[in-house]
Amino acid sequence: MTTPVVLITGGAGFLGSHLSDRFLAEGYEVICMDNLLTGSLRNIEHLSTESRFHYVDQDVTEFIHVPGRLDAVLHFASPASPIDYLEYPIQTLKVGSLGTHKALGLAHAKGARFLLASTSECYGDPLVHPQTEDYWGNVNPVGPRGVYDEAKRFAEAMTMGYHRYHGLQSRIVRIFNTYGPRMRLNDGRALPAFMGQALRGEPITVFGDGSQTRSFCYVSDLVDGLWRLLNSEEPYPTNIGNPREMTILEFAKQVVELTGSASELTFLDLPEDDPKVRQPDITKARKILGWEPKVLLEDGLNTTLEYFRGCPEFAGVKA
Ligand code: UDP
């Protein structure tokens, strides 16, 4: 039997590296493509002796050449935290537009299935709650988050274009807030920020009054949803996320309690266009994929905390 081959763009990122693990476990040969703008070799170093794993250092906004057959292309390359896309606005726009075009063209040329990593950011600051896939969103195109939101909305449109015009077997996932080991400690997201601050005994930076809500999904649940979606026949966007919603203030307090830290909370300005609420409606994923998240927040946070404690930055720190 021939070994199936998958290309994962952004394969050295947080999600890409977990996808690499899953596809290797499913018997695939994995080509991991990354330019390490926000990804890290540390995320994939445990795979360096795996003969079915290949790392290619490339910017996917340039022409992509991959020799041989490809059965699937997972397009996960992109800066994906508010701090990252504020620092790299042009790269974020380019990887969502030009990068998606290159990845789609490659999938089409190889007859491969295509999975686009889209985002709950497509809903912007949502006026429908919880968010269903048929909601078109409330996005500010010219605000600081616009570079990410609009790039992903364009990427969805382009993917549907390839599906309709070329008959490409494409799938689109709208990923809600996801956490777990291999998140970058300094990516500015709430979870690594809070855990890092708690471990260092620094004030916990809650933006605004902390009443904005998010719903956090553990990475293994997300990856399982992605695996099922790729193997489904659904071309339209599908939400994958954990519907357990909480305020950021509650979340901050939970992290402090978990770490046993003496850190106090400090309240800073809410960033521009920060969505006030976010919660996935996963009725569709439940129905067509038989999927729902399984990992309890408390368990996922503990595993993630262990990971951060093991990072070189915290060697010897005992918060
Ligand atoms: N947040 C916060 N303090 C931080 C980082 C983030 O209060 O140090 C808030 C942020 O304003 C947002 C929520 O936590 O309301 C989640 O932010 P994150 O960057 O993780 O992801 P987002 O859902 O905004 O893309």
Side-chain angles (χ1 to χ4, degrees):
M1 221 183 80
T2 44
T3 306
V5 187
V6 61
L7 170 73
I8 305 177
T9 75
F14 164 48
L15 296 183
S17 66
H18 285 280
L19 281 169
S20 296
D21 291 340
R22 175 68 187 255
F23 277 74
L24 287 168
E26 298 287 349
Y28 275 72
E29 184 168 337
V30 173
I31 303 171
C32 160
M33 190 172 275
D34 212 298
N35 67 349
L36 303 180
L37 181 70
T38 57
S40 165
L41 291 180
R42 185 165 178 252
N43 292 337
I44 49 170
E45 67 186 359
H46 63 291
L47 301 176
S48 59
T49 55
E50 167 59 65
S51 60
R52 284 181 290 120
F53 182 77
H54 316 278
Y55 171 68
V56 182
D57 191 321
Q58 195 185 318
D59 179 344
V60 297
T61 65
E62 312 281 345
F63 182 79
I64 309 174
H65 174 68
V66 176
R69 56 187 277 248
L70 273 182
D71 299 278
V73 174
L74 314 183
H75 185 40
F76 277 67
S78 180
S81 80
I83 289 240
D84 286 343
Y85 44 75
L86 288 180
E87 186 171 357
Y88 304 113
I90 312 294
Q91 288 97 324
T92 303
L93 282 159
K94 281 177 72 180
V95 77
S97 53
L98 306 178
T100 302
H101 185 216
K102 298 286 185 289
L104 281 165
L106 180 69
H108 175 50
K110 301 279 186 182
R113 273 191 180 212
F114 182 84
L115 173 65
L116 173 70
S118 187
T119 168
S120 55
E121 284 285 322
C122 287
Y123 302 121
D125 191 5
L127 305 176
V128 167
H129 190 69
Q131 291 76 58
T132 44
E133 288 90 349
D134 55 9
Y135 176 48
W136 293 349
N138 178 37
V139 169
N140 175 4
V142 295
R145 299 173 89 106
V147 295
Y148 185 61
D149 303 6
E150 295 296 3
K152 289 294 188 182
R153 287 163 67 98
F154 175 90
E156 288 195 2
M158 177 149 264
T159 301
M160 289 310 296
Y162 267 69
H163 173 71
R164 291 203 178 95
Y165 187 74
H166 290 303
L168 184 78
Q169 284 287 329
S170 57
R171 314 282 174 259
I172 299 174
V173 56
R174 292 199 180 131
I175 299 173
F176 283 67
N177 293 68
T178 302
Y179 71 99
R182 303 186 201 145
M183 289 186 97
R184 240 174 52 234
L185 203 49
N186 62 349
D187 77 358
R189 286 194 183 103
L191 184 135
F194 294 166
M195 281 198 177
Q197 290 156 353
L199 287 173
R200 286 187 293 262
E202 291 170 359
I204 309 289
T205 54
V206 175
F207 296 160
D209 61 4
S211 62
Q212 68 274 29
T213 69
R214 294 294 185 273
S215 311
F216 296 93
C217 185
Y218 189 65
V219 65
S220 62
D221 280 333
L222 180 92
V223 166
D224 193 51
L226 299 177
W227 171 257
R228 289 174 191 232
L229 180 60
L230 181 72
N231 291 303
S232 78
E233 299 302 316
E234 177 56 42
Y236 286 94
T238 305
N239 290 338
I240 299 284
N242 191 320
R244 178 171 164 186
E245 184 187 18
M246 56 171 52
T247 66
I248 288 300
L249 185 59
E250 285 171 321
F251 185 60
K253 287 180 177 164
Q254 188 154 353
V255 170
V256 173
E257 197 183 306
L258 184 81
T259 54
S261 163
S263 289
E264 305 274 333
L265 305 183
T266 178
F267 293 85
L268 305 180
D269 287 346
L270 191 67
E272 198 179 332
D273 295 335
D274 197 281
K276 285 181 267 313
V277 288
R278 187 182 286 157
Q279 181 190 31
D281 182 317
I282 60 164
T283 307
K284 180 177 176 184
R286 279 198 173 103
K287 194 162 146 214
I288 66 166
L289 308 178
W291 176 87
E292 63 181 5
K294 297 200 162 40
V295 179
L296 287 176
L297 183 67
E298 294 68 20
D299 296 339
L301 286 179
N302 267 314
T303 312
T304 311
L305 182 63
E306 280 318 301
Y307 168 78
F308 282 133
R309 279 197 210 274
C311 287
E313 295 85 339
F314 293 112
V317 177
K318 287 218 178 22

